Short mmCIF file of all heavy atoms in Angstrom, two decimals:
data_model
loop_
_atom_site.label_atom_id
_atom_site.label_comp_id
_atom_site.label_asym_id
_atom_site.label_seq_id
_atom_site.Cartn_x
_atom_site.Cartn_y
_atom_site.Cartn_z
N LEU A 129 5.68 6.28 86.01
CA LEU A 129 6.09 7.54 86.63
C LEU A 129 4.87 8.32 87.13
O LEU A 129 4.93 8.97 88.18
CB LEU A 129 6.88 8.39 85.64
CG LEU A 129 8.19 7.79 85.10
CD1 LEU A 129 8.85 8.76 84.14
CD2 LEU A 129 9.14 7.42 86.23
N LEU A 130 3.78 8.26 86.40
CA LEU A 130 2.56 8.96 86.81
C LEU A 130 1.92 8.31 88.04
O LEU A 130 1.07 8.92 88.69
CB LEU A 130 1.56 8.99 85.66
CG LEU A 130 1.94 9.89 84.48
CD1 LEU A 130 0.98 9.69 83.32
CD2 LEU A 130 1.95 11.37 84.90
N ASP A 131 2.36 7.08 88.36
CA ASP A 131 1.83 6.36 89.52
C ASP A 131 2.68 6.59 90.77
O ASP A 131 2.37 6.05 91.83
CB ASP A 131 1.76 4.86 89.20
CG ASP A 131 0.83 4.10 90.13
OD1 ASP A 131 -0.16 4.70 90.59
OD2 ASP A 131 1.09 2.92 90.41
N TYR A 132 3.72 7.40 90.64
CA TYR A 132 4.61 7.64 91.79
C TYR A 132 3.91 8.24 93.00
O TYR A 132 4.33 7.97 94.14
CB TYR A 132 5.79 8.52 91.37
CG TYR A 132 6.95 7.75 90.75
CD1 TYR A 132 6.80 6.44 90.32
CD2 TYR A 132 8.19 8.35 90.58
CE1 TYR A 132 7.84 5.75 89.74
CE2 TYR A 132 9.25 7.66 90.01
CZ TYR A 132 9.07 6.36 89.60
OH TYR A 132 10.12 5.67 89.03
N PRO A 133 2.86 9.06 92.85
CA PRO A 133 2.19 9.56 94.05
C PRO A 133 1.67 8.45 94.95
O PRO A 133 1.61 8.62 96.18
CB PRO A 133 1.04 10.40 93.49
CG PRO A 133 1.55 10.88 92.17
CD PRO A 133 2.34 9.72 91.64
N ARG A 134 1.30 7.33 94.38
CA ARG A 134 0.82 6.20 95.17
C ARG A 134 1.99 5.45 95.81
O ARG A 134 1.84 4.85 96.88
CB ARG A 134 0.02 5.24 94.28
CG ARG A 134 -0.70 4.13 95.03
CD ARG A 134 -1.49 3.26 94.07
NE ARG A 134 -0.63 2.62 93.08
CZ ARG A 134 0.05 1.50 93.31
NH1 ARG A 134 -0.02 0.91 94.49
NH2 ARG A 134 0.79 0.96 92.36
N LEU A 135 3.16 5.46 95.16
CA LEU A 135 4.31 4.72 95.64
C LEU A 135 5.16 5.51 96.63
O LEU A 135 5.78 4.92 97.52
CB LEU A 135 5.19 4.28 94.45
CG LEU A 135 4.55 3.33 93.44
CD1 LEU A 135 5.49 3.11 92.26
CD2 LEU A 135 4.21 2.01 94.09
N VAL A 136 5.20 6.81 96.46
CA VAL A 136 6.06 7.66 97.31
C VAL A 136 5.21 8.79 97.89
O VAL A 136 4.79 9.70 97.16
CB VAL A 136 7.24 8.26 96.51
CG1 VAL A 136 8.15 9.06 97.41
CG2 VAL A 136 8.02 7.15 95.81
N ALA A 137 4.95 8.72 99.17
CA ALA A 137 4.10 9.73 99.81
C ALA A 137 4.76 11.11 99.83
O ALA A 137 4.10 12.13 99.66
CB ALA A 137 3.75 9.30 101.23
N ASP A 138 6.07 11.14 100.01
CA ASP A 138 6.81 12.40 100.12
C ASP A 138 7.51 12.70 98.81
O ASP A 138 8.59 12.17 98.53
CB ASP A 138 7.81 12.33 101.27
CG ASP A 138 8.52 13.65 101.50
OD1 ASP A 138 8.04 14.67 100.98
OD2 ASP A 138 9.56 13.65 102.18
N GLY A 139 6.91 13.54 97.98
CA GLY A 139 7.53 13.96 96.73
C GLY A 139 6.98 13.29 95.49
O GLY A 139 7.29 13.73 94.38
N GLY A 140 6.19 12.26 95.63
CA GLY A 140 5.68 11.56 94.45
C GLY A 140 4.75 12.42 93.61
O GLY A 140 4.81 12.38 92.38
N GLN A 141 3.90 13.21 94.28
CA GLN A 141 2.94 14.04 93.54
C GLN A 141 3.62 15.15 92.75
O GLN A 141 3.34 15.33 91.56
CB GLN A 141 1.90 14.62 94.51
CG GLN A 141 0.81 15.45 93.83
CD GLN A 141 0.02 14.64 92.83
OE1 GLN A 141 -0.46 13.55 93.14
NE2 GLN A 141 -0.13 15.15 91.61
N PRO A 142 4.53 15.93 93.36
CA PRO A 142 5.23 16.96 92.57
C PRO A 142 6.02 16.38 91.40
O PRO A 142 6.11 17.00 90.35
CB PRO A 142 6.15 17.63 93.60
CG PRO A 142 5.54 17.34 94.91
CD PRO A 142 4.90 16.00 94.78
N PHE A 143 6.60 15.20 91.62
CA PHE A 143 7.34 14.54 90.53
C PHE A 143 6.39 14.24 89.38
O PHE A 143 6.65 14.59 88.22
CB PHE A 143 7.99 13.26 91.04
CG PHE A 143 8.71 12.46 89.98
CD1 PHE A 143 10.07 12.62 89.79
CD2 PHE A 143 8.02 11.56 89.18
CE1 PHE A 143 10.74 11.89 88.81
CE2 PHE A 143 8.67 10.83 88.20
CZ PHE A 143 10.03 10.99 88.02
N ALA A 144 5.29 13.55 89.67
CA ALA A 144 4.35 13.14 88.63
C ALA A 144 3.74 14.35 87.90
O ALA A 144 3.42 14.27 86.72
CB ALA A 144 3.25 12.27 89.22
N ALA A 145 3.61 15.46 88.60
CA ALA A 145 3.03 16.65 87.99
C ALA A 145 3.90 17.21 86.88
O ALA A 145 3.41 17.94 86.01
CB ALA A 145 2.81 17.72 89.07
N ARG A 146 5.20 16.88 86.90
CA ARG A 146 6.11 17.37 85.86
C ARG A 146 6.26 16.39 84.69
O ARG A 146 6.88 16.74 83.68
CB ARG A 146 7.49 17.65 86.46
CG ARG A 146 7.53 18.86 87.38
CD ARG A 146 8.96 19.23 87.72
NE ARG A 146 9.58 18.22 88.57
CZ ARG A 146 10.91 17.99 88.63
NH1 ARG A 146 11.73 18.69 87.87
NH2 ARG A 146 11.39 17.09 89.45
N VAL A 147 5.70 15.19 84.82
CA VAL A 147 5.82 14.19 83.76
C VAL A 147 4.88 14.56 82.61
O VAL A 147 3.68 14.74 82.82
CB VAL A 147 5.50 12.78 84.29
CG1 VAL A 147 5.50 11.77 83.14
CG2 VAL A 147 6.51 12.38 85.36
N GLN A 148 5.42 14.66 81.41
CA GLN A 148 4.62 15.02 80.24
C GLN A 148 5.00 14.12 79.06
O GLN A 148 6.13 13.64 78.97
CB GLN A 148 4.83 16.48 79.85
CG GLN A 148 4.38 17.48 80.89
CD GLN A 148 4.47 18.91 80.37
OE1 GLN A 148 4.13 19.19 79.21
NE2 GLN A 148 4.91 19.82 81.22
N ASP A 149 4.06 13.93 78.17
CA ASP A 149 4.33 13.19 76.94
C ASP A 149 5.26 14.04 76.07
O ASP A 149 4.97 15.22 75.82
CB ASP A 149 3.02 12.92 76.20
CG ASP A 149 3.25 12.19 74.89
OD1 ASP A 149 3.36 10.96 74.93
OD2 ASP A 149 3.34 12.85 73.84
N PRO A 150 6.39 13.50 75.60
CA PRO A 150 7.35 14.32 74.85
C PRO A 150 6.79 14.87 73.54
O PRO A 150 7.11 15.99 73.14
CB PRO A 150 8.53 13.37 74.61
CG PRO A 150 7.96 11.99 74.78
CD PRO A 150 6.87 12.12 75.78
N ILE A 151 5.95 14.08 72.84
CA ILE A 151 5.39 14.55 71.58
C ILE A 151 4.40 15.68 71.83
O ILE A 151 4.38 16.69 71.12
CB ILE A 151 4.71 13.40 70.82
CG1 ILE A 151 5.72 12.26 70.57
CG2 ILE A 151 4.15 13.89 69.50
CD1 ILE A 151 6.91 12.66 69.75
N ALA A 152 3.57 15.53 72.87
CA ALA A 152 2.63 16.59 73.21
C ALA A 152 3.38 17.86 73.62
O ALA A 152 2.96 18.98 73.31
CB ALA A 152 1.70 16.13 74.32
N PHE A 153 4.52 17.68 74.32
CA PHE A 153 5.34 18.83 74.73
C PHE A 153 5.88 19.55 73.50
O PHE A 153 5.84 20.78 73.41
CB PHE A 153 6.48 18.37 75.64
CG PHE A 153 7.27 19.50 76.25
CD1 PHE A 153 6.90 20.05 77.47
CD2 PHE A 153 8.39 20.01 75.60
CE1 PHE A 153 7.63 21.09 78.03
CE2 PHE A 153 9.13 21.04 76.16
CZ PHE A 153 8.74 21.59 77.37
N LEU A 154 6.41 18.78 72.54
CA LEU A 154 6.92 19.39 71.31
C LEU A 154 5.82 20.11 70.56
O LEU A 154 6.03 21.21 70.01
CB LEU A 154 7.53 18.31 70.41
CG LEU A 154 8.87 17.71 70.85
CD1 LEU A 154 9.24 16.55 69.93
CD2 LEU A 154 9.97 18.76 70.86
N LEU A 155 4.65 19.52 70.50
CA LEU A 155 3.53 20.12 69.78
C LEU A 155 3.11 21.43 70.44
O LEU A 155 2.79 22.41 69.75
CB LEU A 155 2.35 19.14 69.74
CG LEU A 155 1.25 19.42 68.72
CD1 LEU A 155 1.79 19.33 67.30
CD2 LEU A 155 0.11 18.44 68.90
#
Side-chain angles (χ1 to χ4, degrees):
L129 299 180
L130 290 172
D131 199 31
Y132 276 14
R134 189 179 61 82
L135 297 174
V136 183
D138 185 15
Q141 183 60 50
F143 177 95
R146 289 191 292 154
V147 175
Q148 297 186 41
D149 179 84
I151 302 300
F153 187 90
L154 288 174
L155 197 63

